[in-house]
Amino acid sequence: MLRTYVYKQRLGPWGLVARVTLDVRSVDRPPSEARGIDGSRVWWLPPPGLTPADERWMAFGLKLVAGQLESLRAGSGAVLVKVDDWDVPMLTDYQDEVAAAALIECLQRNYDIPGIDIGLSFDRERNRYEFTWNGAPAQPDLE
């Protein structure tokens, strides 16, 4: 079943907004076009037209909660996370990290996983939001 979540944060002079729609289900085998998450039993399908940066951050977010998502699978199958839609309103500022944060928070609220602590602060000097993931700064590996 598709679930939509709107991520909204505002700490500084501007805000971060994005909308993600997911379908999460247990499958016997993931489709051939699905992408694996670090050897886990979690696979995902990004939406068409996703930017490479957003794709890296979404995969990063899934990696952070892959162990929790595995509990949603049936038997020896896998969990498939299909990102059906990703939208960032034109009138919002945006940072790539939002792709991970929105995905994780959507999974927390709609699929009953504990998720992780996503810290957020605003660096006025750099005019940029700073994210932490379970208390530590981190970012996806560049491939």
Side-chain angles (χ1 to χ4, degrees):
M1 174 181 255
L2 291 175
R3 304 286 183 171
T4 299
Y5 177 73
V6 178
Y7 178 88
K8 292 181 183 181
Q9 297 290 334
R10 183 176 177 159
L11 298 176
W14 44 276
L16 302 169
V17 178
R19 185 183 72 234
V20 63
T21 301
L22 302 178
D23 182 29
V24 179
R25 63 183 61 215
S26 182
V27 294
D28 291 332
R29 284 188 293 183
S32 60
E33 67 273 18
R35 298 162 187 185
I37 299 296
D38 276 357
S40 71
R41 307 287 290 160
V42 176
W43 294 76
W44 79 296
L45 290 168
L50 190 66
T51 68
D54 285 343
E55 186 172 332
R56 279 191 304 276
W57 277 100
M58 282 187 186
F60 172 80
L62 287 169
K63 180 180 175 181
L64 293 175
V65 296
Q68 296 172 25
L69 287 171
E70 285 184 338
S71 69
L72 302 177
R73 67 187 175 92
S76 62
V79 172
L80 178 65
V81 177
K82 181 181 180 212
V83 181
D84 193 67
D85 189 39
W86 174 247
D87 180 52
V88 177
M90 293 294 284
L91 298 176
T92 186
D93 289 303
Y94 182 71
Q95 288 183 207
D96 298 327
E97 298 95 319
V98 170
L103 193 72
I104 291 168
E105 287 189 7
C106 182
L107 290 164
Q108 278 181 280
R109 286 184 173 77
N110 294 300
Y111 295 97
D112 297 325
I113 66 164
I116 63 163
D117 176 43
I118 301 170
L120 186 63
S121 61
F122 186 73
D123 182 337
R124 290 198 183 282
E125 185 175 304
R126 294 180 57 220
N127 196 33
R128 183 168 174 79
Y129 284 91
E130 300 293 329
F131 287 79
T132 58
W133 313 93
N134 275 338
Q139 61 185 16
D141 297 326
L142 296 176
E143 296 176 358

